[in-house]
C-alpha cells in the first residue's frame, strides 16, 4: 500500500466505500472534511445514493467484479473504508488482498470471520467471554449455537438444555460453536482507537432491534436474532470505566497479535448481567452499523473528547485529515 500511496496526490484524496451499511454516515462526514467522496454501488441501488449531494461519484459494479473499479479508485487517490456489507459482498479473503489502501487494520477481518480466532483474541485481551463448549454432552445450561458464516444474527439458535440441544443439532450440517447463553441485556460499544491522539475513545453505544427477540411474536415463533435496526443507549456511568478498560485491553491485544495493531473504529458486543458484570461475545474490527443512530448528531459520549458531538464518520474523517497534516497517512491504512 505504501507504493500506491506514494503516487497519490494527497491534496486530492477521495474517500470511497461500498454503498450500504454506514456509507451515508461515512461519505457525508468525508465531504464535510473536504474529501472527494465515492460510493461503490451494486446495480439497482446507485439511484438511491445519487440523490445525495455530498456523494461526488457513484460507481455501479457487480461485486463479483469489484476489482474492475480498483484502477479508477487508485487514480482518484482513494482510501477505502471497509464495513460489514463490503466484507459480506466481496468475502473476507478478497478483502484481505484488495489492492487499494484500506482504512484501519484489514487483517482483523480474518480474525472476525473465524468464531474460534475471534474468541481467542477476546480471551487474550483478558475480557470476560461466554463459556464455549467443545462437547455438546458437557452442556449444563442454556446455550446459543452459532453457525460459521452466520450473518447479522441469522443462523443462530438457542437451546434451553442438553436434551433440547441434542435434538436441534441433529439437523445441523455446517460447522458451529456452542456458547453459553448469557442472561441479561445486550449493549454494543463503539470505540475509536486513535493513532494520532494515541488513545481509545468511547464514541457511543447502541442496542439492536432484532426480529423475533424484539418483535411481537406472542410466543408464536422461535427466537431469531436478525438485525433490522438499532437504537441509541447510554449506560450507568459507574459502568463506563469497565467499558473503557475493555476497549483498551482489546486494543492492546490487537496490537500484540494482529500487526500493525488497532487502528480506528471497532465495536465490542456484550451482555450485561444483573450483577452488573459485562460479558463480551463478539467484536467487529471496523465501523458497525449501530453508529448510524448518531449520524449527523453525534452521541453524548463523543462530546467528551472534542467538546462537540461527532458521529463515527466524522471521527474517521478527522483522523484522516489530522494524519494528512502530520504526514502520517501510512499509519492509518493497511
Ligand atoms: P451477533 O450476530 O453475534 O451479534 O449476535 C446476535 C444476537 O445474539 C446478539 O445481539 C445477542 O442478543 C445474541 N447473543 C449472541 N451471543 C450470545 C450469548 N453468548 N449469550 C446471549 N446472547 C447472545
Amino acid at each position: 500500500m505504501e507504493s500506491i500511496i506514494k503516487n497519490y496526490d494527497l491534496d486530492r484524496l477521495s474517500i470511497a466505500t461500498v454503498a450500504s451499511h454506514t456509507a451515508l454516515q461515512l461519505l457525508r462526514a468525508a465531504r464535510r472534511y473536504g474529501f472527494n467522496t465515492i460510493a461503490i454501488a451494486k446495480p439497482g441501488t446507485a439511484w438511491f445514493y445519487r440523490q445525495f449531494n455530498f456523494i461526488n461519484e457513484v460507481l455501479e459494479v457487480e461485486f463479483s467484479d469489484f476489482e474492475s473499479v480498483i484502477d479508477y479508485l487508485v487514480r482518484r487517490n482513494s482510501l477505502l473504508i471497509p464495513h460489514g456489507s463490503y466484507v459480506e459482498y466481496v468475502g473476507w479473503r478478497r478483502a484481505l488482498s484488495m489492492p487499494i489502501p484500506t482504512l484501519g487494520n484489514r487483517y482483523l477481518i480474518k480474525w472476525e470471520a473465524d468464531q474460534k480466532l475471534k474468541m481467542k483474541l477476546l480471551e487474550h485481551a483478558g475480557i470476560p467471554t461466554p463459556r464455549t463448549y467443545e462437547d455438546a454432552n458437557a452442556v449444563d445450561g442454556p446455550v446459543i449455537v452459532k453457525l460459521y458464516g452466520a450473518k447479522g444474527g441469522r443462523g443462530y439458535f438457542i437451546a434451553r438444555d442438553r436434551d433440547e440441544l441434542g435434538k436441534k443439532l441433529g439437523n445441523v450440517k455446517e460447522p458451529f460453536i456452542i456458547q453459553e447463553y448469557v442472561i441479561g441485556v445486550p449493549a454494543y460499544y463503539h470505540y475509536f482507537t486513535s493513532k494520532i491522539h494515541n488513545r481509545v475513545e468511547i464514541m457511543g453505544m447502541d442496542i439492536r432491534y432484532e426480529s423475533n427477540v424484539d418483535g411481537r411474536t406472542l410466543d408464536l415463533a422461535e427466537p431469531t436474532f436478525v438485525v433490522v435496526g438499532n437504537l441509541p443507549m447510554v449506560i450507568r456511568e459507574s459502568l463506563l470505566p469497565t467499558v473503557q478498560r475493555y476497549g483498551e485491553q482489546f486494543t492492546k491485544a490487537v496490537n500484540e497479535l494482529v500487526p500493525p495493531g488497532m487502528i480506528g473504529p471497532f465495536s465490542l458486543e456484550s451482555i450485561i448481567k444483573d450483577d452488573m458484570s459485562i460479558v463480551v461475545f463478539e467484536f467487529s474490527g471496523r465501523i458497525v452499523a449501530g453508529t448510524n443512530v448518531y449520524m449527523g448528531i453525534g452521541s453524548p459520549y463523543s462530546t467528551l473528547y472534542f467538546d462537540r458531538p461527532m458521529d463515527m464518520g466524522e471521527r474517521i474523517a478527522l483522523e484522516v485529515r489530522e494524519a494528512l497534516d502530520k504526514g502520517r497517512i501510512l499509519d492509518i491504512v493497511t
Side-chain angles (χ1 to χ4, degrees):
M1 291 310 119
E2 207 172 324
S3 59
I4 296 180
I5 288 196
K6 286 236 161 79
N7 290 322
Y8 271 12
D9 178 351
L10 294 177
D11 292 331
R12 294 168 169 231
L13 204 67
S14 297
I15 297 290
T17 198
V18 163
S20 185
H21 197 270
T22 39
L24 294 174
Q25 187 196 157
L26 291 166
L27 297 179
R28 175 183 173 277
R31 189 70 210 128
R32 285 165 71 90
Y33 276 71
F35 300 112
N36 182 56
T37 53
I38 305 176
I40 308 152
K42 274 186 169 178
T45 57
W47 67 270
F48 175 72
Y49 290 87
R50 288 209 171 96
Q51 65 189 313
F52 299 105
N53 60 14
F54 55 82
I55 304 179
N56 298 118
E57 303 175 56
V58 181
L59 312 180
E60 213 167 333
V61 66
E62 290 286 0
F63 280 72
S64 54
D65 201 21
F66 192 85
E67 283 76 359
S68 66
V69 295
I70 294 293
D71 275 354
Y72 180 76
L73 291 177
V74 168
R75 258 186 282 130
R76 301 292 278 152
N77 314 297
S78 304
L79 299 184
L80 181 75
I81 305 191
H83 52 54
S85 298
Y86 164 67
V87 176
E88 187 180 331
Y89 296 161
V90 304
W92 66 266
R93 285 188 183 79
R94 273 168 83 203
L96 283 185
S97 58
M98 201 58 78
I100 177 93
T102 300
L103 211 96
N105 179 352
R106 69 166 90 188
Y107 306 107
L108 261 180
I109 295 173
K110 178 172 166 220
W111 289 69
E112 214 184 305
D114 180 323
Q115 295 277 13
K116 291 214 162 111
L117 278 180
K118 183 184 287 180
M119 297 321 283
K120 181 178 152 184
L121 191 53
L122 289 170
E123 280 157 23
H124 184 83
I127 294 172
T129 54
R131 183 170 164 199
T132 301
Y133 296 93
E134 296 295 334
D135 175 4
N137 291 317
V139 165
D140 56 2
V143 290
I144 180 163
V145 177
K146 303 183 174 184
L147 306 186
Y148 279 37
K151 287 180 196 104
R154 202 183 291 273
Y156 288 4
F157 62 85
I158 54 178
R160 293 186 160 270
D161 52 33
R162 196 183 319 155
D163 286 348
E164 190 178 324
L165 178 67
K167 285 187 198 117
K168 286 186 167 171
L169 280 181
N171 308 320
V172 177
K173 305 271 176 291
E174 302 159 57
F176 56 83
I177 62 165
I178 305 170
Q179 212 173 63
E180 165 197 0
Y181 184 79
V182 183
I183 295 175
V185 288
Y188 300 79
Y189 316 109
H190 317 150
Y191 300 94
F192 189 89
T193 296
S194 171
K195 287 279 186 192
I196 302 301
H197 292 260
N198 196 21
R199 67 184 182 199
V200 179
E201 300 159 4
I202 300 172
M203 286 298 291
M205 46 194 82
D206 74 290
I207 58 176
R208 289 194 183 155
Y209 203 41
E210 293 164 329
S211 57
N212 288 1
V213 283
D214 297 317
R216 298 177 187 182
T217 53
L218 311 174
D219 263 342
L220 297 169
E222 285 280 306
T224 58
F225 299 91
V226 180
V227 182
V228 295
N230 303 77
L231 304 166
M233 86 169 288
V234 290
I235 55 166
R236 289 165 70 144
E237 192 159 311
S238 58
L239 288 172
L240 271 185
T242 305
V243 173
Q244 176 76 29
R245 231 175 343 101
Y246 286 6
E248 290 178 4
Q249 285 170 227
F250 184 79
T251 294
K252 184 163 175 281
V254 176
N255 291 348
E256 286 167 3
L257 296 187
V258 197
M262 192 65 233
I263 304 167
F266 71 97
S267 171
L268 296 179
E269 308 180 0
S270 78
I271 301 288
I272 308 178
K273 303 207 293 191
D274 68 353
D275 64 2
M276 292 290 134
S277 61
I278 305 181
V279 180
V280 174
F281 60 86
E282 170 97 85
F283 73 81
S284 297
R286 34 121 194 123
I287 188 170
V288 286
T291 58
N292 281 340
V293 297
Y294 303 113
M295 176 161 37
I297 50 175
S299 83
Y301 299 116
S302 70
T303 310
L304 303 174
Y305 302 95
F306 297 95
D307 207 23
R308 65 190 164 98
M310 201 181 268
D311 67 30
M312 189 64 95
E314 196 185 338
R315 183 66 193 86
I316 293 170
L318 175 66
E319 188 87 346
V320 174
R321 184 52 72 205
E322 291 186 336
L324 281 175
D325 290 347
K326 293 181 163 35
R328 293 185 57 192
I329 199 73
L330 286 172
D331 289 351
I332 62 166
V333 300
T334 50

